């Protein structure tokens, strides 16, 4: 609650309203700045994680190819080139979770 004392009731009301409006605008600006900061942080983390996942997948696929390895997927089938379509992929799940959080934050 904002109050302002004056001998003129109109001046008191106008001044109190101006102060309240300024406080509200400052509060909104602060929240907006915080949201922008978090969005930028999440975007940077997301980009870093995407790059890390890509590097890890490239390294894994290279290792698989060099060593003629086969990965079994959840349906017990095998794929010679790495993870099958139904295998659990934790980094991708984490990436999707961060993308979802970023969308909700903006």
């Amino acid at each position: 609650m904002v109050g302002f004392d004056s001998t003129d009731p109109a001046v008191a009301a106008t001044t109190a309203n101006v102060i309240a409006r300024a406080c509200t605008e400052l509060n909104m600006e602060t929240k907006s700045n915080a949201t922008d900061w978090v969005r930028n942080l999440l975007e940077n983390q997301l980009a870093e994680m995407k790059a890390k996942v890509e590097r890890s997948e490239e390294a894994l696929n290279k290792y698989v190819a060099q060593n003629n390895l086969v990965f079994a997927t959840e349906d017990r089938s095998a794929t010679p080139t790495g993870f099958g379509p139904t295998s659990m992929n934790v980094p991708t799940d984490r990436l999707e979770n961060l993308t979802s959080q970023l969308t909700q934050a903006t």
Side-chain angles (χ1 to χ4, degrees), residues 69-89:
L69 297 177
V70 175
F71 287 96
T73 60
E74 288 177 341
D75 64 1
R76 304 290 186 226
S77 64
T79 59
T81 58
F83 291 107
T86 60
S87 66
M88 298 299 289
N89 192 339

Side-chain angles (χ1 to χ4, degrees), residues 36-101:
D36 290 344
W37 182 84
V38 169
R39 184 182 64 246
N40 289 334
L41 175 69
L42 290 174
E43 286 174 347
N44 290 337
Q45 287 181 345
L46 183 60
E48 290 173 10
M49 289 189 77
K50 281 182 180 180
K52 186 175 181 179
V53 166
E54 288 174 5
R55 287 190 306 269
S56 296
E57 287 176 346
E58 288 173 9
L60 175 63
N61 288 331
K62 182 179 178 181
Y63 181 82
V64 167
Q66 288 175 344
N67 295 287
N68 296 320
L69 297 177
V70 175
F71 287 96
T73 60
E74 288 177 341
D75 64 1
R76 304 290 186 226
S77 64
T79 59
T81 58
F83 291 107
T86 60
S87 66
M88 298 299 289
N89 192 339
V90 174
T92 301
D93 291 343
R94 177 73 175 127
L95 203 53
E96 289 174 1
N97 186 15
L98 282 174
T99 301
S100 174
Q101 289 177 10

Side-chain angles (χ1 to χ4, degrees), residues 25-38:
E25 289 174 6
L26 179 62
N27 188 26
M28 295 292 287
E29 184 179 335
T30 301
K31 286 181 180 180
S32 177
N33 289 342
T35 300
D36 290 344
W37 182 84
V38 169

Side-chain angles (χ1 to χ4, degrees), residues 16-27:
N17 288 337
V18 168
I19 292 170
R21 196 172 303 119
C23 289
T24 301
E25 289 174 6
L26 179 62
N27 188 26

Side-chain angles (χ1 to χ4, degrees), residues 2-6 8-22:
V2 176
F4 187 83
D5 290 330
S6 174
D8 185 346
V11 170
T14 300
T15 303
N17 288 337
V18 168
I19 292 170
R21 196 172 303 119

